[in-house]
Amino acid sequence: MAQMHRSTALSKCPSCEEPLETGDRFCGACGYDLSAVPPPPADPPTNAVNGWAPQPSPQTARSDGPAAVPGTQGGAPSAPVPAGAPGAGPDGFGLPQDGVRFDRPAGSAESVEPVGPTGSAEPTGSAGSAEPDDYPLAAPQPPAAPPVVVPPRPEQPPADPRTAEPPTPPAGTKLCVACRAGRVDTDGYCENCGHAQPRERDHMEQELGAVAAVSDRGLRHHRNEDAFAVSSTALPDGSPAVVAVVCDGVSSATRPDEASLAAAATANEALLAALPLGTHPQQAMHDAIVAAAHAVTALADGPGQDDEHAPHQNAPACTIVGAVVTPALLVVGWIGDSRAYWVPVDRSAPPARLTEDDSWAAQMVAAGLMNEAEAYADDRAHAITGWLGADAYELEPHTAAFKPDRPGAVVVCTDGLWNYAEAAEEMAAAVPLDAAERPLHAARVLVGHALDGGGHDNVTVAVLPFPAPPQGAGSA
């Protein structure tokens, strides 16, 4: 298809401004060559992509000389301009002075569609297919609201669990003894730091009025097999009675920790039931030990007993020692090798051991076969000959009553303590001078004495001031 060109469409001569007629190539007044027009502004031509181009705006259209479009009857073609020359369009023809090219004038009966890389167009000859002069404009839309920009929060360094204040845990939650923040799971480990928690019985303390007790697992045993119970009540005349019971589980037996706990609790309950009724404290102590023995014997037939053992073979077992202190009387009772000591406030007066062991060493001394030093140096010294349990040889509680003539303190303990202070004088030297006024402090000091000595066994000690202070009096 032959390319078509258009005229310059000037309304006035660029040289003398004489009005021009459409199609003039030379000015009729001065002879100016109208084909040598100055190059138009460097606006790219508007090429129609759908056969239709928008109409020129009023500022662009000129009333005195509308541009002639090739293929129409209103204008003659303009001279071609070499490609690449100033003012040359993509089809090699010059552009209008106003820099706007119309591929189809308004009202043309022909539609023009672009062909070829030059952007030239040819009429399709579809007469009468008039197209709209302008696209309808959509109503203006309000500007969109700017997005809300939330400034980023500054990063906070993670809190140090060692210094951060731990959140308040729910009521009843057991916290880790190491980090004091993590909850202790049912398996005994902290959910926060993984620290294994001590068993509840590994270290126990209790102070009740003028009596106090402390129990510790020690440094060598994997669990605490000792147990204690402390309490106070009133005699029929209204005078106070203070009670302490200490039990030591036999490690060679099964479930020794259960045996000691059952014996201490049962003996304490029996004393609290008998003393207010007027039962003599020594008789009450005897009956309490018998009741404790029955409680331990019952464990042999319980669901926890190993089926491979007969009920009376290696049954749960423990030793027991107890004390009752009134304003005028001191009563002790025991079975096994747990002991009670008397330590006067006036240390110039002699202390005393109030119990005799049910042990191999004690039997050797009682029979005159060995002295005490020789007997307790033997490897069989601590083999007990009396205990509470289903396989005990016989049940014969030992009881004794004393009427001290001066104030002092009664120390009730297991062999975990007296192994490091065996003689009465050694025990008195370990007891603080203010033990009668501060029994809990004294009990802590004595447990510490055993741990400092090596802590080879569980350590349990109770301290009772004598005489019993009035009801409601506490330690200083």
Side-chain angles (χ1 to χ4, degrees):
M1 180 182 66
Q3 293 186 348
M4 302 179 65
H5 60 271
R6 60 181 181 172
S7 64
T8 58
L10 297 179
S11 59
K12 293 181 180 180
C13 175
S15 175
C16 63
E17 296 187 352
E18 178 71 12
L20 299 176
E21 296 294 337
T22 301
D24 289 344
R25 300 186 62 179
F26 297 93
C27 176
C30 65
Y32 185 81
D33 186 0
L34 298 179
S35 63
V37 295
D43 288 337
T46 301
N47 297 326
V49 297
N50 59 356
W52 178 87
Q55 295 295 325
S57 61
Q59 292 79 2
T60 305
R62 299 180 182 272
S63 60
D64 55 352
V69 180
T72 64
Q73 300 176 0
S78 61
V81 180
D91 53 0
F93 291 93
L95 298 177
Q97 188 175 3
D98 55 9
V100 178
R101 173 180 176 177
F102 298 101
D103 292 325
R104 182 181 61 82
S108 172
E110 296 178 337
S111 60
V112 181
E113 57 180 316
V115 294
T118 61
S120 60
E122 68 175 324
T124 61
S126 55
S129 58
E131 297 190 17
D133 293 340
D134 204 353
Y135 286 108
L137 298 178
Q141 299 294 328
V148 178
V149 179
V150 179
R153 299 179 59 183
E155 294 185 1
Q156 298 293 336
D160 189 341
R162 297 169 297 179
T163 59
E165 186 69 20
T168 302
T173 301
K174 185 178 180 181
L175 295 181
C176 173
V177 299
C179 68
R180 302 303 303 168
R183 187 177 69 89
V184 178
D185 208 342
T186 55
D187 58 357
Y189 290 85
C190 175
E191 294 181 344
N192 181 47
C193 67
H195 193 281
Q197 303 301 297
R199 297 180 180 89
E200 184 179 358
R201 292 178 61 178
D202 281 359
H203 185 88
M204 300 179 291
E205 296 185 2
Q206 186 176 1
E207 183 179 25
L208 183 62
V211 60
V214 176
S215 181
D216 192 88
R217 179 172 59 93
L219 304 179
R220 300 295 183 89
H221 278 222
H222 70 284
R223 64 179 177 182
N224 189 1
E225 297 170 356
D226 289 355
F228 69 81
V230 294
S231 60
S232 62
T233 186
L235 301 176
D237 60 359
S239 58
V242 181
V243 175
V245 179
V246 170
C247 297
D248 184 358
V250 178
S251 297
S252 59
T254 57
R255 296 149 57 205
D257 53 333
E258 296 182 28
S260 62
L261 187 62
T266 301
N268 182 67
E269 293 173 0
L271 288 168
L272 291 179
L275 292 174
L277 300 178
T279 305
H280 191 277
Q282 190 169 358
Q283 182 63 46
M285 178 63 72
H286 179 278
D287 297 342
I289 294 176
V290 172
H294 292 161
V296 177
T297 299
L299 294 177
D301 299 323
Q305 179 64 31
D306 295 337
D307 294 336
E308 61 180 345
H309 298 294
H312 297 286
Q313 297 292 325
N314 200 30
C318 68
T319 66
I320 186 170
V321 61
V324 176
V325 172
T326 70
L329 190 65
L330 166 60
V331 173
V332 295
W334 74 96
I335 289 182
D337 61 350
S338 293
R339 295 180 177 181
Y341 290 84
W342 162 255
V343 179
V345 172
D346 181 8
R347 297 304 171 88
S348 62
R353 195 177 87 189
L354 306 178
T355 59
E356 293 292 338
D357 297 343
D358 290 322
S359 66
W360 181 90
Q363 285 187 344
M364 294 298 102
V365 173
L369 300 176
M370 292 182 180
N371 60 36
E372 189 168 300
E374 293 173 341
Y376 282 99
D378 194 282
D379 292 340
R380 298 165 290 179
H382 291 280
I384 58 176
T385 58
W387 61 87
L388 304 182
D391 55 358
Y393 297 126
E394 61 182 15
L395 180 60
E396 186 57 42
H398 311 289
T399 61
F402 306 91
K403 291 185 177 181
D405 59 353
R406 65 197 65 198
V410 180
V411 177
V412 181
C413 64
T414 62
D415 61 344
L417 171 61
W418 66 253
N419 279 332
Y420 303 98
E422 186 174 341
E425 293 76 15
E426 294 175 328
M427 183 63 69
V431 174
L433 296 176
D434 59 352
E437 289 79 24
R438 301 172 63 193
L440 179 58
H441 170 71
R444 289 171 174 168
V445 170
L446 291 173
V447 169
H449 177 79
L451 298 179
D452 290 343
H456 286 69
D457 200 354
N458 306 145
V459 187
T460 302
V461 55
V463 178
L464 304 86
F466 179 89
Q471 287 280 43
S475 62

